């Protein structure tokens, strides 16, 4: 045999030893333990991401909640973070404040109270977090900044926490501090003081709920700030931390993460970061934005939730792969378990973590997600390689006597689409403290002493269906409605709430009222005019009718609209066909929400504090409108946009009422 052939033989033997025999990994608690595990969670809000969930009929709504929160059933979430509504657009819509005005308090607005109670009903131990993304205008006292008067802002936030307990018996565990521009140490200290003064010493602060810096460095040098902050929380860390954050000695959380389309690549993203947030960044909690994709699909960040529930009218929902990826960790651990120090990356790519309850139980989670099958929306993911590999785990210390582990397996198959999710397979024997497993790419395994895992299921929900072709809502409610918003309306600027006329109701006893009268303090560009959308984004030819009532004398104005093409954070540039009437007796039809592109205009005779019926009809390239059954104009010519939602709204931040809304879709030929 020549030297070249000998080299090939030796190389083949070496490769077989290193790959076929595999690599060895010790799991040992003798050397000490790592950080305490705080949980995996979902985020409702930031904003209005659970808007359509509340409108599902039973049993489908409860089924969705079970997949999210019920222990050992689905995702079994351990943390629920919600938006403290601020009357402002915060990504996919607005959520109502508990204090629209300084002298106003109402702790039954919105749906986050309901959602927290439903989560607690299923898991009494779930951790609850509140975070304001925006604030009513009065908090900023005319400025688009909440910290010019930090005592007002602190009192506002604390009132929400107190109201959660007083009216809903909900104990909020943490409150977040968040702003896109910077963190405010004076406010954080004042919030800690206000919490303590209000008997809320147990409520801890997460800061800055944005970036690692500058807060990490400031916490190191500022003892008062160090005492005020319990958790350093970061958004989208890319599984990495910074040295200064570790030096603080604080718990580190990825307090907002994921935000990725929930197909199988999204599931792969979630699998990778759940492990590597701890392996790389020592983060002990990871919270998904968002909890459930329950908003109109053509709003920004479509399907960026752990599951999808965007059709309350049909009852259809989809249990997406991130639900079962979450279960790999949450069904076999609890907050308070501890990571082992012996966690890390596999030699041939992927990662592993191990946790214990320090009572003899052990859970190991492995992931071998390849780069292209685990890309998250942010930040950019550097290139890396993963190959199939054989690994051997050696259980040492208090785990040496374990003889068998339960096994749960997921495999993403991007070639033949035969993906397997959260499958309970044959237990693996542990011989003399060791076991081996062949790991293919794009796999997740859980090896655990915990025996009560379950892949929960219900009968398939109804099939997907478009929004009803004909839809009516008279906004009539008896007594206090369960939710303050009308079904299926998605507020994009302003807040539209049920309202009961107490003085001179006439035929309009119960209406929908726009209640925000001052531009809110917000990090997203709210429109200058309020708007709430409804329906099917693909609708083209449509008739919309609604009774309207302007409350502002001389300056009032309202609209109804069709083919509305934008919402969320880009709502300022919304186009469509808008029919406006004003309290000064005029009307106009515009091609945009800003009211600048005028298609028709004239005198309407409308005035404030009188009910009128507006009807807007669009077919093809022509639009017509009626006021109380009489034509305002016919056949205004329009070209764009070709489709979009229906909508109602006001010409400014002003009080106005709506009643007897109806829409009818015309089939295209």
């Amino acid at each position: 045999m020549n030297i070249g052939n000998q080299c090939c033989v030796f190389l083949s033997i070496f490769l077989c030893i290193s790959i076929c025999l595999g690599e060895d990994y010790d799991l040992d608690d003798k050397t000490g333990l790592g950080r305490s595990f705080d949980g995996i969670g979902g985020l409702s809000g930031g904003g209005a991401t659970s808007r359509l969930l509340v409108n599902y009929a039973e049993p489908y709504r409860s089924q969705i909640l079970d997949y999210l929160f019920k222990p050992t059933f689905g995702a079994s979430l351990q943390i629920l973070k919600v938006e403290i509504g601020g009357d402002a657009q915060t990504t996919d819509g607005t959520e109502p404040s508990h204090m629209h005005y300084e002298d106003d308090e109402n702790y039954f607005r919105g749906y986050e109270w309901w959602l927290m109670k439903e989560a607690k009903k299923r898991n009494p131990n779930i951790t609850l977090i509140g975070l304001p993304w925006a604030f009513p205008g009065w908090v900023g006292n005319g400025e688009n900044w909440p910290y010019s008067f930090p005592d007002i802002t602190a009192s506002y936030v604390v009132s929400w926490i107190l109201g959660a307990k007083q009216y809903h018996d909900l104990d909020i565990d943490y409150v977040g501090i968040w702003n896109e521009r910077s963190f405010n140490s004076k406010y954080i200290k004042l919030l800690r003081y206000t919490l303590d003064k209000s008997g809320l010493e147990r409520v801890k602060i997460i800061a800055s709920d944005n970036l690692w810096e500058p807060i990490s460095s400031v916490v190191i040098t500022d003892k008062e700030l160090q005492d005020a902050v319990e958790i350093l929380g970061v958004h989208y860390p890319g599984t990495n931390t910074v040295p200064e954050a570790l030096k603080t000695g604080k718990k580190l959380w990825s307090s907002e993460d994921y935000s990725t389309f929930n197909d199988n690549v999204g599931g792969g993203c979630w699998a990778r970061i759940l492990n590597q947030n701890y392996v790389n960044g020592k983060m002990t909690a990871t919270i998904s934005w968002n909890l459930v994709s329950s908003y109109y699909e053509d709003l920004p960040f479509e399907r960026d939730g752990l599951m999808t529930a965007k059709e309350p009218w049909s009852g259809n929902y989809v249990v997406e792969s991130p639900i079962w990826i979450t279960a790999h960790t949450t069904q076999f651990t609890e907050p308070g378990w501890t990571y082992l120090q012996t966690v890390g990356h596999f030699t041939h790519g992927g990662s592993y973590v191990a946790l214990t309850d320090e009572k003899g139980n052990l859970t190991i989670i492995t992931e071998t997600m390849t780069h292209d099958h685990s890309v998250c929306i942010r930040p950019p993911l550097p290139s890396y390689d993963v190959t199939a590999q054989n690994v051997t785990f050696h259980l040492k210390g208090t785990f040496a006597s374990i003889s068998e582990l339960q096994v749960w397996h997921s495999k993403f198959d991007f070639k033949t689409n035969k993906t397997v999710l959260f499958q309970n397979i044959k237990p693996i024997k542990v011989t003399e403290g060791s076991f081996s497993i062949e790991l293919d790419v794009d796999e997740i395994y859980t090896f655990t002493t915990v025996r009560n895992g379950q892949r929960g299921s219900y009968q398939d929900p109804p099939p997907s269906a478009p929004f009803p072709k004909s839809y009516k809502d008279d906004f009539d409610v008896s007594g206090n409605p369960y939710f303050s918003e009308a079904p299926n309306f998605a507020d994009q600027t302003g807040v539209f709430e049920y309202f009961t006329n107490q003085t001179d109701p006439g035929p309009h006893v119960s209406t929908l009222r726009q209640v925000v009268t001052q531009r809110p303090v917000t990090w997203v560009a709210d429109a200058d005019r309020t708007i709430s959308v409804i329906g099917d984004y693909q609708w083209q030819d449509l008739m919309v009718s609604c009774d309207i009532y302007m409350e502002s004398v001389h300056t009032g104005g309202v609209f109804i609209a069709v083919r509305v093409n934008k919402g969320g954070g880009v709502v300022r540039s919304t186009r469509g066909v808008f029919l406006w009437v004003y309290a000064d007796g005029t009307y106009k039809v515009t091609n945009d929400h800003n009211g600048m592109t005028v298609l028709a205009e004239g005198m309407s005779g409308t005035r404030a504090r009188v009910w009128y019926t507006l009807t807007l009809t669009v077919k093809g390239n022509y639009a017509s409108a009626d006021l109380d059954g009489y034509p305002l104009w016919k056949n205004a010519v329009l070209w764009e946009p070709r489709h979009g939602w229906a909508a109602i709204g006001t010409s400014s931040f002003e009080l106005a009422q709506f009643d007897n809304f109806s829409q009818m879709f015309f089939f295209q030929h």
Side-chain angles (χ1 to χ4, degrees):
M1 183 181 294
N2 61 39
I3 293 176
N5 289 338
Q6 285 180 325
C7 289
C8 289
V9 170
F10 288 133
L11 181 59
S12 298
I13 293 172
F14 173 78
L15 289 173
C16 183
I17 291 172
S18 61
I19 296 177
C20 300
L21 293 184
E23 305 288 342
D24 296 277
Y25 303 90
D26 292 344
L27 298 176
D28 190 355
D29 59 353
K30 280 185 178 178
T31 57
L33 296 171
R35 295 186 173 220
S36 178
F37 173 66
D38 294 308
I40 295 173
L43 201 167
S44 173
T49 54
S50 303
R51 175 64 193 91
L52 298 176
L53 174 61
V54 298
N55 301 139
Y56 271 79
E58 295 295 347
Y60 310 116
R61 190 171 68 181
S62 289
Q63 292 173 4
I64 295 164
L65 293 166
D66 285 349
Y67 279 116
L68 292 168
F69 300 117
K70 186 177 179 179
T72 62
F73 186 84
S76 305
L77 292 173
Q78 298 151 330
I79 301 171
L80 173 59
K81 182 176 180 178
V82 304
E83 177 173 355
I84 300 174
D87 292 344
Q89 171 64 246
T90 52
T91 298
D92 286 297
T94 67
E95 298 202 23
S97 170
H98 62 290
M99 296 180 70
H100 294 317
Y101 325 111
E102 192 169 3
D103 58 353
D104 164 62
E105 286 187 76
N106 184 323
Y107 296 92
F108 295 91
R109 294 182 182 128
Y111 38 85
E112 304 296 5
W113 313 108
W114 165 82
L115 185 59
M116 288 189 284
K117 287 189 286 188
E118 291 294 328
K120 276 285 187 182
K121 185 190 303 182
R122 288 161 174 80
N123 178 6
N125 297 318
I126 197 167
T127 298
L128 297 179
I129 306 172
L131 172 66
W133 268 258
F135 300 86
W138 65 268
V139 173
N141 197 30
E143 299 181 29
N144 191 37
W145 182 243
Y147 302 130
S148 297
F149 303 90
D151 54 331
I152 294 176
T153 306
S155 295
Y156 169 82
V157 171
V158 169
S159 69
W160 183 88
I161 298 171
L162 291 170
K165 181 63 175 178
Q166 180 178 348
Y167 296 98
H168 302 283
D169 197 27
L170 291 168
D171 291 309
I172 305 300
D173 299 293
Y174 295 91
V175 62
I177 312 292
W178 189 84
N179 191 275
E180 280 283 313
R181 288 184 257 172
S182 67
F183 82 97
N184 188 293
S185 60
K186 179 180 178 181
Y187 168 70
I188 294 172
K189 296 171 187 176
L190 185 57
L191 177 60
R192 180 70 271 163
Y193 169 79
T194 308
L195 287 166
D196 294 346
K197 186 179 68 173
S198 303
L200 296 171
E201 293 87 354
R202 58 169 190 76
V203 179
K204 307 304 182 184
I205 294 175
I206 304 170
S208 63
D209 241 321
N210 189 8
L211 303 174
W212 288 125
E213 292 290 11
I215 191 167
S216 296
S217 297
V218 178
V219 163
I220 291 172
T221 59
D222 187 331
K223 180 63 167 59
E224 188 180 356
L225 184 63
Q226 189 178 108
D227 292 341
V229 173
E230 179 77 7
I231 308 286
L232 291 184
V234 67
H235 290 190
Y236 309 99
T239 76
N240 296 309
T241 186
V242 297
E244 287 75 13
L246 293 168
K247 288 177 187 176
T248 65
K250 296 290 183 183
K251 287 175 175 283
L252 309 180
W253 285 11
S254 181
S255 52
E256 182 179 321
D257 216 327
Y258 184 58
S259 185
T260 299
F261 192 80
N262 59 20
D263 59 5
N264 284 345
V265 173
C269 152
W270 189 232
R272 177 176 56 80
I273 64 178
L274 285 183
N275 263 23
Q276 296 193 27
N277 272 350
Y278 186 77
V279 171
N280 300 338
K282 294 297 180 283
M283 287 167 271
T284 55
T286 298
I287 301 173
S288 166
W289 188 91
N290 50 68
L291 171 73
V292 53
S293 179
S294 202
Y295 44 96
Y296 286 115
E297 64 180 12
D298 290 286
L299 288 169
F301 304 101
E302 172 190 353
R303 279 182 54 187
D304 281 13
L306 297 178
M307 64 181 292
T308 303
K310 57 183 175 61
E311 290 187 14
W313 48 86
S314 72
N316 179 262
Y317 62 85
V318 183
V319 184
E320 312 281 5
S321 62
I323 290 289
W324 303 118
I325 297 306
T326 309
H328 272 282
T329 299
T330 54
Q331 289 204 19
F332 311 105
T333 62
E334 292 181 13
W337 281 43
T338 308
Y339 286 99
L340 302 190
Q341 287 190 2
T342 48
V343 301
H345 292 276
F346 292 121
T347 303
H348 301 287
S351 66
Y352 64 98
V353 295
L355 302 96
T356 179
D357 64 354
E358 299 183 64
K359 300 175 184 177
N361 280 311
L362 175 68
T363 292
I364 307 159
I365 305 106
T366 71
E367 61 81 21
T368 52
M369 293 307 306
T370 54
H371 178 280
D372 291 352
H373 295 157
S374 65
V375 175
C376 303
I377 193 171
R378 71 190 86 161
L381 180 63
S383 179
Y384 66 90
D385 294 317
V386 181
T387 56
Q389 56 197 299
N390 187 285
V391 303
T392 299
F393 286 107
H394 301 284
L395 309 187
K396 298 183 177 181
T398 60
F399 313 121
S401 61
I402 293 174
S403 60
E404 182 181 84
L405 292 168
Q406 305 300 306
V407 183
W408 292 80
H409 174 239
S410 292
K411 165 69 175 175
F412 290 109
D413 185 342
F414 293 92
K415 293 181 179 178
T416 63
N417 201 28
K418 295 181 179 178
T419 292
V420 174
L421 293 171
F422 201 58
Q423 183 180 49
N424 189 199
I425 61 178
K426 183 180 178 182
I428 196 165
K429 298 296 181 183
V430 181
T431 304
E432 296 181 354
S434 300
F435 71 93
S436 298
I437 185 77
E438 182 73 29
L439 300 179
D440 199 358
V441 297
D442 297 329
E443 285 189 317
I444 302 92
Y445 277 99
T446 299
F447 308 99
T448 181
T449 55
V450 178
R451 295 177 174 270
N452 62 347
Q454 178 190 187
R455 194 184 195 281
S457 65
Y458 288 109
Q459 185 177 352
D460 288 345
S464 176
F467 195 87
K469 304 296 184 185
S470 179
Y471 184 84
K472 295 181 179 181
D473 194 337
D474 60 9
F475 308 129
D476 282 343
V477 290
S478 56
N480 289 321
Y482 197 67
F483 299 108
S484 57
E485 300 99 335
N488 303 319
F489 279 88
D491 302 346
Q492 300 301 305
T493 295
V495 172
F496 296 74
E497 295 179 347
Y498 284 128
F499 176 70
T500 301
N501 286 299
Q502 303 286 353
T503 54
D504 184 22
H508 302 280
V509 177
S510 181
T511 66
L512 199 65
R513 191 189 201 199
Q514 200 296 117
V515 295
V516 178
T517 58
Q518 183 179 1
R519 187 176 184 83
V521 177
T522 178
W523 64 277
V524 173
D526 277 75
D528 295 323
R529 300 153 189 83
T530 72
I531 180 171
S532 185
V533 302
I534 187 171
D536 190 325
Y537 188 77
Q538 299 307 317
W539 278 346
Q540 298 179 25
D541 295 347
L542 189 68
M543 180 180 71
V544 171
S545 178
C546 190
D547 296 345
I548 59 92
Y549 183 89
M550 295 171 280
E551 298 189 38
S552 299
V553 178
H554 305 306
T555 60
V558 301
F559 70 81
I560 61 173
V562 298
R563 294 188 183 177
V564 173
N565 72 342
K566 290 182 182 178
V570 292
V571 67
R572 288 184 69 86
S573 58
T574 297
R575 298 185 65 203
V577 184
F578 295 81
L579 166 60
W580 311 76
V581 294
Y582 299 94
D584 65 1
T586 63
Y587 80 88
K588 67 179 177 181
V589 186
T590 69
N591 210 179
D592 61 334
H593 187 227
N594 288 325
M596 302 302 293
T597 306
V598 179
L599 302 176
E601 59 186 333
M603 299 304 296
S604 62
T606 49
R607 53 192 175 89
R609 301 176 184 173
V610 177
W611 281 98
Y612 300 96
T613 300
L614 297 182
T615 303
L616 174 62
T617 304
V618 175
K619 288 186 178 181
N621 295 333
Y622 299 98
S624 302
D626 293 349
L627 174 67
D628 287 342
Y630 293 95
L632 279 178
W633 90 95
K634 291 184 178 180
N635 297 331
V637 178
L638 56 105
W639 298 103
E640 296 290 342
R642 305 306 298 174
H643 57 82
W645 297 291
I648 58 175
T650 62
S651 62
S652 65
F653 289 101
E654 62 184 273
L655 298 175
Q657 296 179 52
F658 302 83
D659 203 358
N660 298 318
F661 175 87
S662 67
Q663 59 187 24
M664 181 179 296
F665 171 79
F666 301 116
F667 287 93
Q668 283 86 31
H669 298 286

